[in-house]
Amino acid sequence: YIITHMLTSNSISALRRFLPYTLAAILILTAIWYVTLAWASINASRAETALNIWDMTGQIPSRHDWNTTYAAQHRALNLSPSNPEYLEQMAHLYMWRSLSHPTGSEKNKASIALAHDYYLQAANSTPSWPNYWSGIIQIKRLAWQYDNDMDRAIRNAAHYGPWFASNQQIILRA
């Protein structure tokens, strides 16, 4: 009884001593995690705004605008590397980059390849989201690459997103 009582009272005493430090550490780590996610979201939002403007106007961005947008998106992706929305935005950014180079040039091909890789990462991380597959269709169409990858993207976009009008327009253009 005495040994059990001593162990219990020592354990409780130790718990009382270390519990506040443990809780403080958990709170600090949680706050850091939330601040990191918020900073990633802010950067991704900046990039998304630029992409939306370029999509609406159809005007190819200047090198400065593209680099500024890329920097913001790159920060977001570094902070949250598995976020499929950030991967898609990076792909979209490289799609715009490909349009600023002559079709078939090495820089055009490299930008298309990077866009394809980012779209594929997004689609593989969330295969049921049709917009990622539609992105692959768009980038394949830009590169005139009508292959098995394009066929798979068309099938998945049609299967997972028959109710999205924009998705269906992309499929029809392919």
Side-chain angles (χ1 to χ4, degrees), residues 63-123:
R63 176 178 227 121
H64 176 267
D65 288 347
W66 190 89
N67 287 337
T68 303
T69 305
Y70 171 82
Q73 189 60 39
H74 187 52
R75 280 189 299 273
L77 202 50
N78 278 343
L79 294 169
S80 187
S82 60
N83 186 318
E85 290 178 29
Y86 299 171
L87 291 167
E88 180 198 26
Q89 283 180 204
M90 187 63 93
H92 196 161
L93 191 59
Y94 273 108
M95 185 177 73
W96 274 106
R97 185 68 171 169
S98 75
L99 296 173
S100 68
H101 300 294
T103 303
S105 70
E106 290 305 313
K107 288 183 178 183
N108 174 266
K109 289 177 184 178
S111 294
I112 286 173
L114 286 167
H116 177 263
D117 290 346
Y118 282 112
Y119 273 127
L120 199 54
Q121 287 178 54

Side-chain angles (χ1 to χ4, degrees), residues 127-143:
S128 63
W129 188 242
N131 291 356
Y132 303 152
W133 296 109
S134 293
I136 293 172
I137 295 167
Q138 287 180 302
I139 208 67
K140 287 290 198 174
R141 190 171 61 94
L142 274 176

Side-chain angles (χ1 to χ4, degrees), residues 6-174:
M6 286 174 49
L7 289 175
T8 306
S9 66
N10 285 341
S11 299
I12 291 172
S13 174
L15 183 63
R16 285 184 181 155
R17 239 187 344 257
F18 293 110
L19 186 62
Y21 297 115
T22 304
L23 290 175
I26 290 170
L27 287 173
I28 289 169
L29 291 174
T30 303
I32 290 170
W33 183 64
Y34 277 111
V35 167
T36 301
L37 289 179
W39 184 241
S41 180
I42 288 167
N43 280 285
S45 180
R46 289 178 183 164
E48 183 180 24
T49 299
L51 289 167
N52 287 339
I53 290 169
W54 301 341
D55 286 342
M56 285 189 302
T57 64
Q59 185 174 357
I60 296 173
S62 69
R63 176 178 227 121
H64 176 267
D65 288 347
W66 190 89
N67 287 337
T68 303
T69 305
Y70 171 82
Q73 189 60 39
H74 187 52
R75 280 189 299 273
L77 202 50
N78 278 343
L79 294 169
S80 187
S82 60
N83 186 318
E85 290 178 29
Y86 299 171
L87 291 167
E88 180 198 26
Q89 283 180 204
M90 187 63 93
H92 196 161
L93 191 59
Y94 273 108
M95 185 177 73
W96 274 106
R97 185 68 171 169
S98 75
L99 296 173
S100 68
H101 300 294
T103 303
S105 70
E106 290 305 313
K107 288 183 178 183
N108 174 266
K109 289 177 184 178
S111 294
I112 286 173
L114 286 167
H116 177 263
D117 290 346
Y118 282 112
Y119 273 127
L120 199 54
Q121 287 178 54
N124 286 334
S125 71
T126 313
S128 63
W129 188 242
N131 291 356
Y132 303 152
W133 296 109
S134 293
I136 293 172
I137 295 167
Q138 287 180 302
I139 208 67
K140 287 290 198 174
R141 190 171 61 94
L142 274 176
W144 291 88
Q145 295 175 347
Y146 294 90
D147 54 13
N148 290 335
D149 196 26
M150 171 89 143
D151 184 53
R152 183 177 125 207
I154 290 171
R155 280 186 281 110
N156 285 335
H159 175 73
Y160 292 117
W163 51 87
F164 287 116
S166 61
N167 191 41
Q168 295 305 318
Q169 289 172 353
I170 291 168
I171 293 169
L172 289 173
R173 285 189 208 124

